[in-house]
Amino acid sequence: MPMLRGLMELKTTLVDYERTGDENSRRLIFFGRHAGSAGMINKLWSLGKRLEVEGVPSAFSRLKQARTCAELCGA
């Protein structure tokens, strides 16, 4: 709850994709086996971008977003 309260105070948008459903409450979005890895990569990418803006050197600023990582999609 403290995290949710903090997000509300910052007036951010939180989307819970696991709860996205149709009028019959059937799930519309499903996650594959790489969802956790993609989420972690994107979080670290975001951290790197933030640190970059703040002028803090970080190896995270060299990361790419998960959608560009061929290893995750088997390409």
Side-chain angles (χ1 to χ4, degrees):
M1 291 308 294
M3 180 185 76
L4 183 57
R5 195 173 357 269
L7 291 171
M8 291 171 65
E9 289 171 3
L10 292 170
K11 299 189 185 308
T12 60
T13 300
L14 178 65
V15 178
D16 184 357
Y17 289 109
E18 293 183 60
R19 297 294 302 159
T20 303
D22 65 11
E23 62 278 353
N24 296 316
S25 299
R26 291 180 298 205
R27 287 177 51 187
L28 296 176
I29 299 174
F30 299 87
F31 294 103
R33 65 180 221 197
H34 297 298
S37 297
M40 178 189 64
I41 290 168
N42 284 342
K43 179 64 176 176
L44 294 174
W45 173 84
S46 297
L47 174 62
K49 293 301 170 194
R50 174 160 185 160
L51 292 173
E52 191 176 279
V53 167
E54 294 179 2
V56 178
S58 168
F60 296 133
S61 65
R62 294 192 301 269
L63 290 175
K64 297 177 186 175
Q65 284 185 295
R67 65 184 172 87
T68 67
C69 296
E71 296 84 10
L72 287 177
C73 63

